Amino acid sequence: MALHSSEIQAVEGMKITVSKIIKGVRYLKHYGFREFLIRLKEKAEAEQVPYQPWYERHKADKEQLAAQRKKAAGWKDAPLISIVVPLYCTKEEFLREMIASVQAQTYGNWQLCLADASPKEAPGACELEKLALDYAKEDARIVYKHLPKNYGIAGNTNKAVELATGEWIGFMDHDDLLAPDALYETVRMIRQGFQKKTGLEAASFFGIPEDGACYDMIYTDEDKVDMDGREHFQPHFKPDFNLDLLRSNNYITHFLLVRRSLFEQVGGLRSEYDGAQDYDFILRCAQKARAIGHVPRILYHWRTHKESTSENPFSKQYAVDAGKRALEEHLKNLGVPAQVSAAKDMGFYTVKYPVWEEPLISIIIPSKDETEALRKCIASVAQSSYQNFEIIVVENNSMAETFDFYRSITEREERKEGVRRFEGTLPGGQRICIAVWEDGFHYSRLNNFGVMQARGSYFLLLNNDIELMDGECIAELLGTCERKEVGAVGAKLFYPDGTVQHAGVVVGIGGNARGIAQNMFSGMQGERSGYLHKASIAMDYSAVTAACMMVKREVYEAVNGFEEKLAVAFNDVDFCLKVRKLGYLIVYQPRAKAWHYESKSRGAEDSPEKVARFQREIEYMRTNWIGILKNGDPYYNPNFSSVSCNYTRKDNS
C-alpha cells in the first residue's frame, strides 16, 4: 500500500500550484542550482543514448589529461602500480597498442610486467620476444621475461606477478587497452582511502568499514572496442561492491587493482580454475578485502577480434563449469549452505539458499474491503511449500459485508488489551488473525500494529492485492533472508498484463517521484531480463518494495519498524535505508515471484490534502536521506539516468 508509480503519476500530472513552486525551492535548497538544471534536462532525454558519441563526450580531453599529469607529478605518496600482462602468441599490433596505452597514462609511477609463454617454435614468437625486449630497453618501467613453458592463464599471470615490485597489482589482458586516465583515477581513490558518502556503502561482506579504512581492491567500468581499437560499444557500467550480483556474475572483471599483500594472502590465481580464474580470484579477494573501491568511469577497453574472449568470456563449457566450482567453494568457505547452478545466460549463475531453520513466519497483510483480492492472496499463501506461517490481516475501516467474510474464515471474535480480533485456523492448521485498526489509513502504523500481533521470528509484509505465483515464493525469500548479513528480501512483482512492476528500488531517481526512489524495470515485458539480465538475477539494492518483503524480526525491531511520519509514500524506502545503515544487505530475489494488482484498497492521490501530505513526505526523505539523494545510490552507477528506470545512460552533455 506504499505509494506506487501509477498514483505518483496522478500527483505529478496536476497543474502547477503554489505547493509545487515551494517544492521547487526546497529542491534547490537541498541539491543546488546545477543539479536542479541537470534534473530538468534529463526529463527530456531520449530513451536510448548512442554510446560512441556518448563516450567521445565523456572521455577525458587533452586539457583534463594535461591537468592530471601536472597534479599526479606532485603526489608525494604515489604508490607504484605493477600492471601484469601474460603474453601468449600475441599479435604484434595488439602488443604495440597495449603498451602504448600504458605509456600514455597520466600517472607515471607504473611498471609493466610481461610474462611470455609463447612456444619458441610458434610463428612470430621470436619477433614478439624481440619487440618486447626493445620496449624494455627503451623504457625501464617495462619488464619482460620469456617463460620456459606455458603454465596456463592463471600460472602465467602469477609468473608476471613475480616480476612485479609495486605495492599494487593491476591485471590486464595482452590485447586490451587502458584509457589514459585509468591509473590516475584509481590511484586518486587509493590516496583518498575509504570515505563514506552516504553512510550506506556495503564495501565488505557483512558490514560497513570504518571511515578511513584502506582499500584493498579497486575496479572500474569498461567497454569493448573493435579490432582497430576505434569503435567503442557495449559499455558495462557497474555498481559499487554488490555481493549478490557478484554471486550471480563476475561483474567486476577489468580494470582491477589488488593490493599486493592481499594477492599474497589469498595465494594468487589458481590453475584449477582456468577459464574462470579471475572469477575465483575476485571472490577470494573480496572475502578478505578491508574495503573495495569502484571508479564509475570507462577506463578499460576489451578488444573484440577472432582470438578474443571478450565477446563471450564464458563461451566454452569448461569456463562455465570452472566458474560454478569457484562460486561453490566461495560459499563453502564462508559456511553458507547453498546450491549453485549455471543460468541459461552464459556466465551467469543461480545461487539457491535452502531453508535450514524453518522458523515461524508472520505474514502481515493490511486490508480494506476487496475481499476477493484478499481471498486470492490468502489462498496463494496457503498453497506454499513452506507451511510454518501465520497470517495477520490488519483490517482498516472496511464495510460491514467484509466483516462477514472475516467471520467466515475465523472461529471467534474477541477484544483483548483494547484490540478487536477475529481468530481462527486455516485448513493447513496455521493461525489466522484479523486485527482491527480503527483509525484512518496509515501504511506505516498498519504494519507496525500488525507486527504487534505477530508471533514469528520473520515477517513477510504483503499488500492485499498480491498473489504469489507459485508455492516456492516464501521459501525463496526465507532462504535468502536467513543469511546473517541479510536484513530484508524483496520479490519480483508483475502487473496482471505480465509486465514487470518491481525488480528492486533505486534511491535518488524517478521523474514521477521527485527523484526520491523508483522501482526498476517497471513496465518492461516480463519475459525480458533487462540490462545485463539485472531483472532476472539476484542482487543487492538500497531498497525493495514492502508490497512483498520479508524481514527478520530482530532487524525490524532494531530500526523501530516503519517511520510513522510517512503515512503513504516512501515508508518502505526509508525502512530499507535504515536497515542498510545498520550494515545489513537488502536483496532482490527474482525467483520469488508474485502478481501485484497494485493498491486496490486506496483511491487516487489527487486531493489537495493528499498532495500536501505527499510533499511533506518528500521533504522528510530529503531531510533525512540527503546524503544518498545527493551523492547517488551506491548500487546504481552515476552514468545512468536519474529519470528512467531501465538503466538508460545519462546524457548530461
Side-chain angles (χ1 to χ4, degrees), residues 237 244 378 385 387 638:
F237 297 107
D244 284 273
I378 293 174
S385 63
Q387 289 288 296

Side-chain angles (χ1 to χ4, degrees), residues 82-111:
S82 294
I83 302 171
V84 297
V85 182
L87 304 180
Y88 186 83
C89 298
T90 308
K91 287 188 176 181
E92 179 179 325
E93 61 182 298
F94 295 157
L95 179 63
R96 288 183 182 277
E97 292 175 5
M98 181 272 291
I99 293 176
S101 76
V102 176
Q103 291 180 321
Q105 294 299 301
T106 57
Y107 178 80
N109 194 19
W110 53 261
Q111 177 189 38

